[in-house]
Amino acid sequence: MNKTVRSLFTIFTPAALLLSFAFNESRAATALSSKQARETIRHVGGSELSKGAVKVRSVQPASDGGVDVLAQVKLAFRLTRDDHDRWHIEEVRTGDRRWEDVGMIASALGIASTVDEGRARPDVSGELSPEHARALIADLLGVQLPSEAVRVNAVTALGKSAMVETQIELEFHLVNESGAWRVQKMRTAGNIWRDVDGVVNSINQQKIARARVEMQQIVRALDAFRRERGFYVEARDEGVLVDYLSPRYLKQVIRFDPWSRLYQYEGTREHFTLRSMGADGKPETADDIVMSSGS
């Protein structure tokens, strides 16, 4: 190789490598369209957000071959006011008639689910103002105000409960596995990344524990019913079961499991089976939670 060729090789090889790297990064970003990103984010962690709930602002390649997506997500929060006149965030809507317990989410994320007393106190009129609601939600998400990362679109209050419609700015890290994109991590306002699978698994473990507690309450109510009547409730429907048990044997009406699905009940005079279909929502699978008479 002569000196001229060697010089050209020395100059152009690093440049070619840089161009190749930039091209591959560009391909990672362009391989994921805004529409694909929106649809993937809509279903993050098993949620079913409405089609208009996610607005993708940017799609950028990441150093690990994945893609970082900045998006605005419309979320609704349900708040309640306690006997001390303080407001607390109870649930966040993740789909049509689907609500997630904020306490479970906060526990999975390792954060507190309430704010300090000063910001948790409502105004003199007892109404929940948009500013106050914004402070509560920003504190929950770890966003320091003032910030455009948390916006309140509407507050609808009725007595001791309120619905707060918001727009939250979130960052998502997506990876492509076997040709399918999924959200691997997410964060708010530059905070630390949270592993989505880890958070979902933690929430599901909490839901399993809650389902067992609720099912045990129903089982005790069924046993009390049998001691008094001499037989179990004959039914193939949870709604019918609760009608028989509540309020005499079951003070709290329990119809839905922590995954927002009806508990499954099948009972005869001598035997019953009570079931939650678990996280996958499918009967007769490994994650079912089952309790029966005599167990």
Side-chain angles (χ1 to χ4, degrees), residues 15-30:
L17 289 172
L18 288 172
L19 286 171
S20 175
F21 178 74
F23 177 71
N24 288 333
E25 281 206 323
S26 177
R27 284 184 61 189
T30 56

Side-chain angles (χ1 to χ4, degrees), residues 4 14-15 44 65 68 72 79 92 97 102 123 131 139 156 158 163 170 182 185 199-200 207 211 214 224 226 284:
T4 302
V44 61
D68 290 335
Q72 292 176 333
L79 283 68
V92 58
R97 290 178 291 183
V102 165
D123 58 31
E131 293 77 15
D139 187 271
T156 305
L158 181 63
M163 178 88 70
L170 297 167
R182 73 175 184 89
K185 299 180 290 185
V199 171
V200 171
K207 288 183 176 182
E214 292 179 346
R226 188 189 190 197
E284 309 294 338

Side-chain angles (χ1 to χ4, degrees), residues 9 27 61 78 83 85 87 102 118 127 139 148 160 165 172 178 197 204 214 219-220 228 240 245 253 272 290:
F9 183 81
R27 284 184 61 189
R78 183 177 290 158
D83 294 336
D85 220 23
W87 289 94
V102 165
E127 296 179 356
D139 187 271
E148 294 300 311
K160 289 192 172 185
E165 301 282 348
F172 301 88
S178 302
D197 287 345
N204 279 331
E214 292 179 346
V219 168
R220 286 195 293 269
E228 189 169 295
V240 174
L245 298 180
V253 175
F272 72 83
V290 182

Side-chain angles (χ1 to χ4, degrees), residues 122-137:
D123 58 31
V124 177
S125 67
E127 296 179 356
L128 182 67
S129 68
E131 293 77 15
H132 180 223
R134 184 171 180 240
L136 281 169
I137 294 167

Side-chain angles (χ1 to χ4, degrees), residues 241-252:
L241 172 67
V242 173
D243 290 341
Y244 273 100
L245 298 180
S246 180
R248 181 177 179 85
Y249 307 99
L250 187 65
K251 293 183 179 180
Q252 179 186 359

Side-chain angles (χ1 to χ4, degrees), residues 2-291:
N2 62 42
K3 185 180 294 184
T4 302
V5 173
R6 189 182 300 113
S7 298
L8 289 172
F9 183 81
T10 303
I11 293 170
F12 285 113
T13 297
L17 289 172
L18 288 172
L19 286 171
S20 175
F21 178 74
F23 177 71
N24 288 333
E25 281 206 323
S26 177
R27 284 184 61 189
T30 56
L32 178 71
S33 67
S34 293
K35 182 178 180 180
Q36 287 176 307
R38 182 175 66 249
E39 289 303 302
T40 304
I41 292 169
R42 280 184 56 220
H43 299 94
V44 61
S47 61
E48 294 288 343
L49 299 175
S50 65
K51 290 185 177 181
V54 179
K55 181 180 180 181
V56 174
R57 294 185 57 190
S58 67
V59 179
Q60 299 292 333
S63 58
D64 64 352
V67 173
D68 290 335
V69 178
L70 180 65
Q72 292 176 333
V73 182
K74 293 180 180 178
L75 293 173
F77 294 86
R78 183 177 290 158
L79 283 68
T80 59
R81 186 167 57 187
D82 63 22
D83 294 336
H84 300 288
D85 220 23
R86 293 184 297 186
W87 289 94
H88 302 275
I89 305 172
E90 297 291 341
E91 297 175 307
V92 58
R93 187 169 60 201
T94 59
D96 183 28
R97 290 178 291 183
R98 289 183 57 182
W99 294 83
E100 291 289 343
D101 185 289
V102 165
M104 286 187 180
I105 297 173
S107 177
L109 294 173
I111 60 177
S113 60
T114 57
V115 299
D116 62 82
E117 185 174 339
R119 283 195 290 173
R121 192 178 302 279
D123 58 31
V124 177
S125 67
E127 296 179 356
L128 182 67
S129 68
E131 293 77 15
H132 180 223
R134 184 171 180 240
L136 281 169
I137 294 167
D139 187 271
L140 174 69
L141 298 175
V143 175
Q144 186 173 357
L145 297 178
S147 171
E148 294 300 311
V150 177
R151 298 181 182 180
V152 172
N153 296 329
V155 176
T156 305
L158 181 63
K160 289 192 172 185
S161 65
M163 178 88 70
V164 181
E165 301 282 348
T166 69
Q167 182 172 286
I168 311 297
E169 188 172 272
L170 297 167
E171 295 176 76
F172 301 88
H173 181 73
L174 280 65
V175 294
N176 191 307
E177 296 178 346
S178 302
W181 289 95
R182 73 175 184 89
V183 178
Q184 183 186 63
K185 299 180 290 185
M186 58 186 294
R187 65 179 179 178
T188 59
N191 288 312
I192 63 172
W193 288 102
R194 304 284 185 173
D195 178 75
V196 171
D197 287 345
V199 171
V200 171
N201 289 337
S202 176
I203 292 173
N204 279 331
Q205 289 303 311
Q206 295 178 70
K207 288 183 176 182
I208 290 170
R210 178 173 293 182
R212 291 188 182 280
V213 170
E214 292 179 346
M215 292 171 71
Q216 286 167 356
Q217 291 176 0
I218 297 173
V219 168
R220 286 195 293 269
L222 281 162
D223 288 339
F225 180 94
R226 188 189 190 197
R227 283 194 300 270
E228 189 169 295
R229 304 289 187 89
F231 53 88
Y232 290 117
V233 175
E234 293 184 85
R236 297 176 63 90
D237 181 271
E238 166 67 11
V240 174
L241 172 67
V242 173
D243 290 341
Y244 273 100
L245 298 180
S246 180
R248 181 177 179 85
Y249 307 99
L250 187 65
K251 293 183 179 180
Q252 179 186 359
V253 175
I254 303 172
R255 297 185 187 275
F256 295 90
D257 70 11
W259 293 273
S260 301
R261 304 184 188 97
L262 284 169
Y263 282 110
Q264 306 295 305
Y265 176 79
E266 185 172 345
T268 65
R269 294 173 66 89
E270 294 80 24
H271 180 78
F272 72 83
T273 299
L274 182 65
R275 180 189 306 271
S276 165
M277 293 186 291
D280 67 4
K282 300 176 182 178
E284 309 294 338
T285 57
D287 72 342
D288 286 10
I289 306 168
V290 182
M291 295 185 183

